[in-house]
Amino acid sequence: TYAGAPVLEQALLGANATNPDGTALIKTWLDKLTAKGYDSADAYIGGKSSVMMGMSMTEKQGGSDVRSNTTEATPLIEGDDAAASALGSPYRLVGHKWFTSAPMSDGFLTLAYTGTGKEKQLSCFLVPRWVSEGERNAGLRFQRLKNKMGDKSNASSEVEYYNATGFLVGARGAGVRTIVEMVNHTRLDCLAGSAALMQIAVLRAVSHTCGRSAFGTVLRDQPLMQNVLCDLILESEAASALAFRCAAAFDNAPDEAYRRLAVAVGKYYVCKRAPSVVYEALECFGGNGYVEDFPMARYFRQSPLNAIWEGSGNVIVLDVFRALGKPEQAAAAMKAVMAEAVNTNNEALIAYTKGVISEVEVLLKGLYAAATKKDRAQAAQVEMQGRVVAERLAIALLASALGGYGDKAAVSYTHLRAHETPEHLVCRLLLEKKKKLMNNKREKNKRKTKRQQKQI
């Protein structure tokens, strides 16, 4: 829902006066998307105080390759090309979507082809559940809910458009460019979601090991367990720090170069790290972690989702290359990455980041040369190293985001994740911080229980 609002906002900025009713409709959707509160009624937007939005892009034959989609849209306003091109112009959609996220929503952003022949291009549409008071969108047919491994409480479905009503959003033929704003915001959501999942899993592990004893010693005080917890905490804190740094970049226009690269790189790396972190946290529980009576099994099933959603690993790596696709884009992005390291005033991290940037620049020279010569074989050789590039950039950005914890936090992260000798001092400091928070919480709960007993 929050990712759909910027799409409508951008569409309104580029709207003309050709279809005032359509513009008013899109504005109403934007106002109710951003309204406070939650209106659960399954009803027309006119009678609701707020609405929710889902996304319906991928089809069975193409997946992330949305240009292979076959869904088509025909304008209801015939013979008037200007009116059919206006924001909010009504269309009839015919096709099928293999994944529709959040099917309980009031409306969905989707892609469909408009025009024929050389004029055939993808356009973006808003497909509402209700088209007017008392009238459902009869052509919007939900076929089944996906039987997913995890994330079961957040439904996904298959949907068929059988002359479904949809309203044009953005310029006709600019569907990918229009909806990419929603994709970028959702990728931020994936990054933040994985960071949050790491944090709750690690907190559960810390809490459990603080209260569990084995072989005569509390688990948290055993050297091997301390190393595990320190590593988990450092990883979790870094993910959270980068998520908030990327979120801040969405609100700050000068951060555009940073945002374009960091969200893709962060989404790639943090979401891939989540299953490993959650598993290690699960293992801290021993056999109980594998039992459904505890929450860890559910967390583990949930953990792979964000790495797949909104572009799996290879798709995101290709997007990283697109973010660095032109020399001027790459220069701005590398400058932004370097600025993050410089802001920490940490000489070791600055040196590490310079090394990463040098590696990336060498690789990009090969990519630009291949593009100039149209040498697909050379381009393939560069592309094969894409995951290494994304990982190295991610480590630099995550370490820089940890700068707020001080020099040792950032250096420890680069050491741990670059497979160098770790410095566990900062890890133990972070562990002590977590233990203190857990002890304070326990004391607070004890005082609350005593007050309740006195009242009884």
Side-chain angles (χ1 to χ4, degrees):
T1 296
Y2 95 99
V7 178
L8 301 188
E9 188 174 25
Q10 289 295 319
L12 285 168
L13 289 175
N16 55 42
T18 307
N19 183 13
D21 291 339
T23 301
L25 175 66
I26 299 301
K27 189 177 186 309
T28 299
W29 274 91
L30 178 60
D31 290 342
K32 296 196 176 185
L33 274 176
T34 54
K36 294 181 180 179
Y38 169 60
D39 189 336
S40 62
D42 182 12
Y44 176 59
I45 183 175
K48 297 191 65 170
S49 59
S50 64
V51 294
M52 294 177 65
M53 182 170 284
M55 181 163 57
S56 186
M57 287 207 304
T58 57
E59 299 182 9
K60 65 179 81 173
Q61 73 281 356
S64 296
D65 180 13
V66 295
R67 295 192 186 279
S68 67
N69 287 3
T70 59
T71 300
E72 295 184 348
T74 305
L76 293 182
I77 304 173
E78 298 180 0
D80 189 342
D81 190 65
S85 302
L87 178 66
S89 181
Y91 279 72
R92 287 274 187 252
L93 276 65
V94 176
H96 178 270
K97 297 294 178 180
W98 187 242
F99 274 104
T100 294
S101 299
M104 61 286 191
S105 299
D106 300 283
F108 307 88
L109 285 179
T110 191
L111 294 176
Y113 275 103
T114 54
T116 57
K118 293 182 179 180
E119 299 296 321
K120 189 174 182 178
Q121 293 178 304
L122 278 174
S123 299
C124 180
F125 296 91
L126 169 58
V127 179
R129 185 181 290 275
W130 294 79
V131 292
S132 63
E133 190 67 48
E135 182 185 0
R136 284 184 177 273
N137 195 346
L140 178 60
R141 301 179 177 180
F142 295 96
Q143 295 187 315
R144 67 164 182 160
L145 297 181
K146 297 291 190 182
N147 184 17
K148 299 183 291 186
M149 177 175 75
D151 199 49
K152 293 179 182 293
S153 59
N154 183 25
S156 299
S157 71
E158 295 170 29
V159 66
E160 181 182 13
Y161 300 141
Y162 189 76
N163 289 323
T165 300
F167 300 96
L168 183 66
V169 177
R172 189 168 61 174
V176 174
R177 188 168 69 248
T178 300
I179 208 167
V180 76
E181 193 67 24
M182 186 178 199
V183 172
N184 286 335
H185 278 76
T186 310
R187 284 177 179 172
L188 172 65
D189 186 45
C190 292
L191 167 58
S194 289
L197 185 60
M198 286 183 187
Q199 190 170 87
I200 185 61
V202 172
L203 281 171
R204 292 273 189 182
V206 171
S207 176
H208 177 76
T209 55
C210 284
R212 175 79 168 174
S213 295
F215 308 108
T217 308
V218 177
L219 285 178
R220 74 177 184 192
D221 295 329
Q222 297 185 10
L224 279 173
M225 183 58 75
Q226 283 190 347
N227 279 349
V228 170
L229 294 175
C230 287
D231 190 88
L232 290 176
I233 291 169
L234 193 60
E235 184 90 53
S236 173
E237 295 293 333
S240 296
L242 182 61
F244 281 108
R245 174 65 186 93
C246 287
F250 275 75
D251 295 329
N252 189 4
D255 280 348
E256 176 58 31
Y258 174 87
R259 185 188 86 163
R260 178 68 182 88
L261 179 66
V263 172
V265 167
K267 193 271 187 193
Y268 169 80
Y269 188 76
V270 172
C271 295
K272 277 192 173 297
R273 290 294 304 157
S276 296
V277 170
V278 174
Y279 167 73
E280 285 289 352
L282 179 154
E283 195 175 279
C284 292
F285 283 74
N288 285 335
Y290 200 70
V291 177
E292 294 288 352
D293 294 340
F294 292 77
M296 302 307 293
R298 182 186 176 199
Y299 295 164
F300 188 59
R301 289 196 304 273
Q302 180 77 15
S303 62
L305 172 65
N306 287 330
I308 299 168
W309 202 10
E310 292 311 321
S312 53
N314 288 345
V315 173
I316 299 298
V317 169
L318 292 175
D319 191 50
V320 171
F321 277 128
R322 276 192 293 273
L324 305 172
K326 295 179 180 179
E328 58 272 21
Q329 288 177 313
M334 294 302 99
K335 183 179 179 181
V337 172
M338 194 68 241
E340 294 295 306
V342 170
N343 287 340
T344 67
N345 294 316
N346 185 308
E347 292 183 5
L349 177 56
I350 291 171
Y352 175 82
T353 304
K354 282 182 178 178
V356 172
I357 290 174
S358 296
E359 293 175 17
V360 173
E361 288 174 343
V362 170
L363 201 63
L364 289 177
K365 284 180 181 178
L367 186 65
Y368 300 149
T372 302
K373 296 184 292 186
K374 297 183 179 179
D375 187 341
R376 181 54 195 160
Q378 184 179 354
Q381 289 297 317
V382 176
E383 190 176 297
M384 288 176 67
Q385 302 176 63
R387 287 190 172 221
V388 177
V389 170
E391 181 175 323
R392 296 277 281 168
L393 284 169
I395 291 171
L397 289 173
L398 283 157
S400 297
L402 272 177
Y405 283 90
D407 288 351
K408 289 183 178 179
V411 172
S412 290
Y413 187 83
T414 55
H415 282 171
L416 285 166
R417 291 298 162 254
H419 309 295
E420 299 174 16
T421 304
E423 295 178 10
H424 285 293
L425 174 60
V426 68
C427 300
R428 290 197 174 93
L429 290 174
L430 288 168
L431 179 58
E432 289 301 319
K433 177 184 173 183
K434 293 286 184 183
K435 285 160 58 176
K436 187 176 180 181
L437 287 173
M438 296 302 302
N439 290 334
N440 288 342
K441 187 175 180 180
R442 282 198 176 90
E443 290 300 320
K444 185 177 179 181
N445 288 336
K446 285 180 181 178
R447 290 194 295 270
K448 184 178 179 181
T449 302
K450 286 181 179 180
R451 287 197 302 270
Q452 290 174 342
Q453 289 174 343
K454 286 181 179 180
Q455 290 174 355
I456 292 171

